[in-house]
Amino acid sequence: MKFNNIEFDTYFKNYPDHNGFFGKYGGSYIPPELQVAMDEIAEAYQTICKSSKFIAELRKIRREFQGRPTPISHLERLSSSIGTGVQLYVKREDLNHTGAHKLNHCMGEALLAKYMGKKKVIAETGAGQHGVALATAAAYFGLKCDIYMGSVDIKKQAPNVARMKILGARVIEVTDGLATLKEAVDAAFAAYCKEYRDAIYCIGSVVGPHPFPMMVRDFQSVVGIEAREQFLDMTGELPDAVVACVGGGSNAMGLFSGFLNDPVDIYGVEPLGRGIKMGDHAASLTYGEEGIMHGFNSIMLKDENGEPAPVYSVASGLDYPSCGPEHAFLHDLGRVKYDVVNDDETIDAFYTLSRLEGIIPAIESSHAVAYGMKLAKTMGKGAVLINLSGRGDKDMDYIIEKYGIR
Ligand SMILES: *Cc1c(COP(=O)(O)O)cnc(C)c1O
């Protein structure tokens, strides 16, 4: 399929290019000592990802450890409550081991570490979700795992800190500056510069310098490949639209990559939070501009000094001031439409899906559900497939405290 002069039959061969560019986005803007380490990872990945042994081992892990394929569920009661005849479906990444899509790329990254002969994986974490997924993968492979986390986040996310420790990871407290995610990233990168001979750095989304946006997309593409086949099996047709929430953008790239070459409308949903004022949302593609942060060129939210702007979302997994470079590319091409839902719409969708379908979604995923519901109201007929990126157990305390039982 051709779209805006891009041939999508050969899309995955051509994008990213050899240097990690999706058009002008992506690349690698990092200090030379880190570039050495990234080049090593890129080279190893290019070879290892094609080896039949690696592919077979990853398949076995997905089937026997992660519980893949995850099913697609038809949301019959929710669809009838909308009343337009449009049918809603969800891809159940909430049923993936550890309760979200993040394990898809963490198992891939840790398997790559093993094949490269590394003894340790290093990462930062904010809300702790990436840290838990990576600590799970490290335990599975018998790798050491160092997770850098700001002391403010350590206090807020006590259950996830406990999970990481039980899984055998070292949680390293970062006390510099505001002691949250940004400082944790800096500390983790600094450690990696010293330790890269024995360790690899594992990024938690389709962000960061090349090869991570490509590698994480490839590991997540299992979501889209499964979903396309399952949906065809279930209904005999393709969905009319697919929807996913976008923080860094990994669950979205996973689902979208299965449908880029199909006549299917694709929607990425960003968090509008409390509103359009800077600092009240994290809708980078909707309100941002081109810029470089965290080692890659993309579309980002900047403050008056051109630095990453403060962002907010009710979903801690979505509050990132930029997004994966491939999303910026697909945005400019017009192949994927990016739109927003706010906190209130999200929380409504959270309760509605729980009550009508018996599925308690993560607040991140509730953004996609809210948008899918809105979309279904505007369509006359057809089917919408939503990526349910994770389950809501992690959000229970927050929901009860802030919104109560509805
Ligand atoms: C981390 C997280 C996200 C956001 O990450 P992406 O890279 O944008 O997918 C979305 N949903 C859940 C459940 C998460 O844990």
Side-chain angles (χ1 to χ4, degrees), residues 76-79 81-82 351-359:
E76 294 187 41
R77 298 215 318 127
L78 183 61
S79 305
S81 85
I82 288 168
Y351 285 109
T352 305
L353 188 71
S354 303
R355 197 56 67 83
L356 291 185
E357 297 289 345
I359 301 170

Side-chain angles (χ1 to χ4, degrees), residues 18 79 105 236 238 241 305 313 327 350 400:
H18 187 70
S79 305
H105 60 250
L238 289 170
N305 304 318
S313 164
H327 285 291
F350 170 88
I400 302 242

Side-chain angles (χ1 to χ4, degrees), residues 356-375:
L356 291 185
E357 297 289 345
I359 301 170
I360 301 180
I363 303 180
E364 289 81 4
S365 325
S366 302
H367 284 76
V369 176
Y371 194 79
M373 288 163 59
K374 280 215 288 202
L375 192 62

Side-chain angles (χ1 to χ4, degrees), residues 280-311:
D280 279 349
H281 65 80
S284 342
L285 284 162
T286 309
Y287 297 109
E289 53 189 311
E290 187 178 346
I292 295 170
M293 68 176 268
H294 295 161
F296 64 104
N297 187 39
S298 186
I299 296 177
M300 60 185 271
L301 293 166
K302 295 180 188 170
D303 66 12
E304 57 284 353
N305 304 318
E307 294 295 312
V311 285

